[in-house]
Amino acid sequence: MKYIQKSVEPSSLSTWKIKQGDKIPTWKSFGRSGVKGQLLETLLKEQGYICCYCGVAIDKGNCHIEHFKPQGIDETVRFDYFNLIVSCQGEDNTQPRVPVHCGHKKDNWYDEKLLVSPLLANCVDFFKYSAAGEILPTEEATKKSAAETTIENLSLNISKLQRMRQAAIDAELELLEDDDFNEEEIKNIIKDYLELDNDGKYKPFCDTIVYILESYYL
């Protein structure tokens, strides 16, 4: 899970909300406004085109706007820009792609104390990763319970995601084995994973790779 630093609410969304007055429109009606597509593009850019929870690469065709605090339990956050992030697996809530994970798996579950938020600056500190692609809870007592619950309730450790993470790890480790990299060079590789590329995208599973490189090489 990589920290998402929210930017300023896009003016198109602000203007649209003002036009609604005191009423709270449905999410379906918002989808017909034309503003939703602009919002999605803004959120994707904000996240560097990776899923807010698992870190897989996403684009407009394979993601959905996720309400971190579900609108199903609090409709006042429905159009709160600072509650909106982007999760993988598309928009079909009734028949999402299987196996279900991340936003669709989370659904209306929400626990302020046990759900690790990608909007939390130190969210990466809640998790560890193995070279086999497993996501594991930290051993730190104050964070472990939330990490365990988040992993379980979002199905972040299913075999599909483990395989994808392991493939990303193996690809990087294979490159490192071909040359004798010193500590400074490893730090530069890590820096590259922490930054957006020329297309404004993060590498998939960048948080996982950074953890592995820091654990194995530094």
Side-chain angles (χ1 to χ4, degrees), residues 139-175:
E139 292 301 322
E140 188 176 337
T142 59
K143 297 180 175 67
K144 186 174 182 179
S145 181
E148 289 174 334
T149 307
T150 298
I151 291 170
E152 179 181 357
N153 285 18
L154 274 64
S155 291
L156 296 180
N157 218 19
I158 57 176
S159 58
K160 166 194 169 182
L161 292 177
Q162 282 192 38
R163 289 194 302 270
M164 294 174 74
R165 282 191 290 259
Q166 184 175 14
I169 292 169
D170 288 348
E172 183 59 42
L173 295 183
E174 185 177 340
L175 289 174

Side-chain angles (χ1 to χ4, degrees), residues 42-60:
T42 298
L43 294 172
L44 282 167
K45 289 180 180 178
E46 188 172 70
Q47 291 177 206
Y49 293 85
I50 59 172
C51 174
C52 59
Y53 297 125
C54 71
V56 69
I58 54 175
D59 57 36
K60 280 188 173 182

Side-chain angles (χ1 to χ4, degrees), residues 204-215:
F205 305 112
C206 54
D207 56 320
T208 304
I209 303 299
V210 167
Y211 178 88
I212 293 295
L213 293 180
E214 289 180 339
S215 299

Side-chain angles (χ1 to χ4, degrees), residues 166-198:
Q166 184 175 14
I169 292 169
D170 288 348
E172 183 59 42
L173 295 183
E174 185 177 340
L175 289 174
L176 294 179
E177 288 174 359
D178 291 340
D179 292 286
D180 186 18
F181 288 89
N182 59 40
E183 183 174 320
E184 190 61 31
E185 289 171 326
I186 295 295
K187 288 181 178 178
N188 286 332
I189 293 172
I190 290 173
K191 184 173 179 287
D192 186 52
Y193 271 98
L194 293 173
E195 295 179 348
L196 299 168
D197 65 16
N198 293 333

Side-chain angles (χ1 to χ4, degrees), residues 41-164:
E41 185 60 42
T42 298
L43 294 172
L44 282 167
K45 289 180 180 178
E46 188 172 70
Q47 291 177 206
Y49 293 85
I50 59 172
C51 174
C52 59
Y53 297 125
C54 71
V56 69
I58 54 175
D59 57 36
K60 280 188 173 182
N62 64 359
C63 68
H64 69 276
I65 296 176
E66 160 79 354
H67 294 77
F68 180 68
K69 184 176 184 181
Q71 58 173 328
I73 64 174
D74 183 0
E75 67 175 12
T76 66
V77 301
R78 183 172 296 158
F79 300 105
D80 179 357
Y81 180 69
F82 299 96
N83 186 58
L84 300 177
I85 46 185
V86 186
S87 179
C88 60
Q89 291 202 300
E91 288 200 357
D92 194 338
N93 293 308
T94 57
Q95 293 182 316
R97 301 177 189 182
V98 292
V100 182
H101 54 86
C102 296
H104 285 317
K105 181 65 169 64
K106 170 176 159 282
D107 195 25
N108 276 326
W109 174 71
Y110 177 77
D111 187 312
E112 188 174 357
K113 294 182 179 180
L114 293 177
L115 174 59
V116 181
S117 171
L119 303 173
L120 186 67
N122 69 336
C123 62
V124 296
D125 297 336
F126 285 74
F127 307 102
K128 304 187 299 182
Y129 300 90
S130 75
E134 296 173 286
I135 181 171
L136 305 165
T138 179
E139 292 301 322
E140 188 176 337
T142 59
K143 297 180 175 67
K144 186 174 182 179
S145 181
E148 289 174 334
T149 307
T150 298
I151 291 170
E152 179 181 357
N153 285 18
L154 274 64
S155 291
L156 296 180
N157 218 19
I158 57 176
S159 58
K160 166 194 169 182
L161 292 177
Q162 282 192 38
R163 289 194 302 270
M164 294 174 74

